[in-house]
């Protein structure tokens, strides 16, 4: 009887172990989407200086839409795609180097080495380089390292900054400065690779909107940005346009409702604190700017040769009453992206 009871206990222990393993496997299957590929690419920290920079300077970048509560998954997926297709545009970019110099204390390129010297050598050879190693967003170390140029491959940091937004289902990545042609070219390249089957359809990213420029949502600034981008589009020899030029205007205000309601509560006497939020007003301003830039133009919503898209950016950490818009002038083949 004693032997029998021992066998039963051992059997129960094995059964519990099997159940524990099956529960762990089930938990792994239920793992959050962004955790499934956490080992593939690191999640960047938010650049908390970016919202303020967007208020003072125009930037280019990408606005990604995704399902609510899937922002981390969409961020990782977008980063993996954009790192691949935007790499050729980042290499040798003077703007990238300028940004690297400006934020040297906050973001440094990582140096990968197989061997590091334990002590600082006072007589460093001219063929060696000494650099600081820091984790993106963290403090730099003071350790001296003597590295051979041939044995010190440089891992280029992610040039795009992750900007915190107040709206759900949105991801914003911006370049250090404005570069209108890069974002449109990158998205066009991605679109061609999707059509050819080279790139699989994104799982979490629903839409990647190329931001060519940003500005405050003020009539004067919006008109100036639209005029500049339209003229650049017209003067691009790759765009063969007929006369009159057919155009369309798109306007999205995702995630702005909460900001507007908060400002209305703060300023109850101001009946219309954001006149440019009105769709009709925005359409009129954009259409007027296009016609001023190109007199021979007409609205055509069915088959426009160029589309001017305005996206409001629900930035976090900006003063009340400050609204920033992203603007792009895109050809017909990109207007649905």
């Amino acid at each position: 009887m004693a032997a029998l009871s021992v066998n039963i206990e051992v059997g129960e222990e094995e059964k519990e172990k099997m159940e524990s393993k099956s529960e762990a496997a089930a938990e792994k299957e239920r793992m959050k989407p962004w955790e499934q590929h956490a080992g593939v690419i690191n999640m960047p920290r938010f650049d908390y200086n970016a919202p303020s920079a967007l208020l003072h300077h125009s930037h280019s970048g990408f606005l990604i839409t995704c399902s609510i509560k899937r922002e981390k998954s969409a961020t990782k997926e977008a980063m993996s795609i954009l790192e691949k297709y935007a790499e050729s545009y980042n290499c040798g970019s003077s703007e990238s180097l300028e940004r690297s110099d400006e934020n040297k204390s906050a973001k440094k390129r990582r140096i990968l080495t197989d061997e590091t010297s334990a002590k600082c050598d006072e007589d460093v050879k001219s063929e060696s380089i000494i650099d600081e190693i820091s984790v993106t967003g963290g403090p730099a170390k003071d350790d001296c390292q003597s590295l051979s140029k041939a044995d010190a491959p440089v891992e280029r940091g992610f040039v795009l900054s992750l900007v915190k937004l107040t709206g759900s289902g949105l991801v914003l990545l911006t370049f250090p400065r404005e570069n209108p042609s890069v974002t449109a070219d990158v998205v066009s390249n991605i679109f061609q690779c999707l059509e050819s089957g080279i790139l699989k359809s994104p799982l979490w990213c629903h839409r990647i909107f190329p931001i060519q420029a940003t500005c405050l949502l003020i009539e004067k600034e919006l008109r100036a940005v639209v005029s500049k981008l339209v003229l650049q589009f017209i003067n691009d020899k790759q765009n063969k346009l007929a006369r009159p030029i057919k155009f369309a205007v798109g306007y999205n205000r995702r995630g702005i409702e909460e900001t507007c309601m908060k400002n209305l509560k703060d300023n109850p006497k101001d009946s219309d604190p954001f006149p440019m939020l009105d769709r009709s007003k925005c359409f009129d301003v954009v259409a007027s700017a296009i016609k001023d830039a190109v007199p021979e133009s007409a609205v055509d919503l069915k088959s426009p040769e160029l589309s001017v898209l305005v996206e409001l950016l629900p930035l976090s950490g900006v003063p009340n009453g400050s609204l920033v818009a992203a603007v792009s002038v895109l050809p017909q083949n990109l207007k649905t992206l």
Side-chain angles (χ1 to χ4, degrees), residues 33-34 36-37 64-67 70 73-74 77 202-206:
W34 65 272
Q36 292 176 1
H37 43 261
I64 296 98
T65 62
C66 61
S67 300
R70 290 292 182 265
S73 298
E77 187 174 59
L203 181 61
W204 307 109
C205 299
H206 296 167

Side-chain angles (χ1 to χ4, degrees), residues 79-301:
M79 285 172 54
S80 64
I81 295 173
L82 293 173
E83 274 187 329
K84 178 180 179 181
Y85 289 91
E87 182 179 1
S88 59
Y89 298 97
N90 295 336
C91 292
S93 172
S94 60
E95 293 177 356
S96 300
L97 295 175
E98 180 183 351
R99 176 58 176 263
S100 177
D101 292 337
E102 290 177 354
N103 297 336
K104 192 172 183 179
S105 61
K107 294 185 177 180
K108 293 180 179 292
R109 292 178 295 178
R110 281 179 253 177
I111 306 296
L112 305 179
T113 61
D114 295 329
E115 297 181 355
T116 58
S117 58
K119 297 180 180 180
C120 293
D121 189 357
E122 295 181 358
D123 298 326
V124 180
K125 295 181 180 181
S126 59
E127 295 179 354
S128 301
I129 57 172
I130 298 175
D131 204 350
E132 295 172 332
I133 295 179
S134 66
V135 177
T136 302
K141 297 180 180 179
D142 293 328
D143 299 333
C144 264
Q145 296 179 338
S146 177
L147 308 173
S148 171
K149 290 183 178 180
D151 298 331
V154 177
E155 180 186 357
R156 291 187 178 274
F158 193 57
V159 178
L160 293 166
S161 296
L162 179 62
V163 185
K164 190 172 183 179
L165 302 176
T166 59
S168 301
L170 295 171
V171 176
L172 177 60
L173 298 167
T174 61
F175 283 111
R177 290 288 185 270
E178 177 186 322
N179 197 339
S181 61
V182 167
T183 54
D185 289 345
V186 168
V187 174
S188 179
N189 193 10
I190 292 173
F191 190 53
Q192 291 174 4
C193 291
L194 286 171
E195 287 185 331
S196 63
I198 298 176
L199 177 67
K200 293 182 179 180
S201 297
L203 181 61
W204 307 109
C205 299
H206 296 167
R207 176 175 176 263
I208 300 179
F209 171 64
I211 300 173
Q212 295 181 324
T214 59
C215 67
L216 292 176
L217 192 63
I218 301 172
E219 180 175 346
K220 181 180 179 180
E221 292 199 16
L222 181 60
R223 182 184 293 273
V225 170
V226 170
S227 298
K228 181 183 69 175
L229 293 178
V230 168
L231 288 175
Q232 289 178 358
F233 185 91
I234 299 299
N235 295 329
D236 189 343
K237 295 180 180 180
Q238 295 182 357
N239 299 319
K240 298 180 180 179
L241 307 171
R243 302 287 176 163
I245 296 174
K246 301 176 182 179
F247 71 89
V249 180
Y251 184 39
N252 288 311
R253 302 175 297 184
R254 300 181 180 91
I256 294 295
E257 289 76 11
E258 295 180 3
T259 302
C260 295
M261 292 303 297
K262 182 179 179 180
N263 279 278
L264 286 174
K265 290 180 180 179
D266 294 339
N267 303 286
K269 296 181 180 180
D270 194 346
S271 59
D272 191 12
F274 306 112
M276 291 300 297
L277 282 177
D278 181 71
R279 289 184 178 275
S280 298
K281 175 66 174 177
C282 184
F283 287 153
D284 290 342
V285 171
V286 173
S288 176
I290 296 173
K291 288 185 174 295
D292 289 344
V294 187
E296 296 182 36
S297 58
V299 176
D300 189 335
L301 302 181

